[in-house]
């Protein structure tokens, strides 16, 4: 069993708007700056450029539950799972929840750093989608 850390952010837009934004791969570069330097699509396959090279990104299928999970497959073949959910909290408010899994080879210090980076990414997500409210 892997250690986990779950973090959330309250976003002042509808859950549907937040979900649509999260499911768009091109938007990763706007908020997931802890790992995503750029995004590109080649032959219907999405890739992100990270500090460790290119990774394939694949999102969960569109669904009514607002599950916005995505997987990153590194050049080494290692797959990193990123569970995310958007939960309605009123008409124009939602919670974006993300869970970080700790691989067995990651130190306590690095896991704390990864958690801090995830918190920063979610704060950036909040700022970005609230600024874009009405355009989504």
């Amino acid at each position: 069993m892997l250690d986990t850390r779950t973090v959330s952010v309250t976003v002042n837009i509808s859950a549907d708007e937040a979900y649509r934004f999260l499911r768009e791969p091109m938007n990763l570069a706007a908020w997931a700056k802890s790992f995503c330097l750029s995004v590109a699509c080649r032959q219907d396959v999405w890739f992100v450029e990270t500090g460790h090279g290119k990774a394939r990104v694949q999102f969960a299928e569109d669904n009514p539950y607002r599950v916005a999970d995505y997987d990153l497959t590194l050049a080494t073949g290692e797959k990193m799972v990123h569970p995310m959910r958007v939960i309605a909290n009123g008409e124009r408010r939602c919670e974006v929840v993300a869970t970080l899994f700790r691989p067995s080879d990651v130190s306590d210090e690095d896991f704390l750093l990864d958690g801090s980076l995830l918190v920063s990414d979610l704060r950036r997500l909040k700022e970005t989608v609230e600024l874009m409210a009405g355009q989504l």
Side-chain angles (χ1 to χ4, degrees), residues 10-14 17 92-94 126 129-130 133:
T10 300
V11 181
N12 294 307
I13 65 170
S14 75
E17 287 175 303
R92 299 283 309 153
R93 191 173 188 175
C94 65
K126 172 185 174 61
V129 295
E130 287 179 355

Side-chain angles (χ1 to χ4, degrees), residues 41-108:
C41 184
R42 292 189 182 82
Q43 299 177 352
D44 295 326
V45 178
W46 289 94
F47 295 92
V48 295
E49 190 65 41
T50 75
H52 302 289
K54 190 182 297 187
R56 180 178 181 204
V57 63
Q58 186 171 9
F59 282 83
E61 294 294 322
D62 190 24
N63 62 84
Y65 308 106
R66 299 184 198 101
V67 173
D69 296 358
Y70 62 94
D71 297 336
L72 290 178
T73 305
L74 307 178
T76 62
E78 178 185 2
K79 183 184 274 190
M80 301 172 71
V81 178
H82 296 269
M84 294 188 77
R85 308 289 187 274
V86 179
I87 304 164
N89 185 2
E91 282 187 41
R92 299 283 309 153
R93 191 173 188 175
C94 65
E95 307 299 318
V96 178
V97 182
T99 299
L100 177 66
F101 288 98
R102 176 183 176 175
S104 58
D105 61 342
V106 170
S107 70
D108 291 344

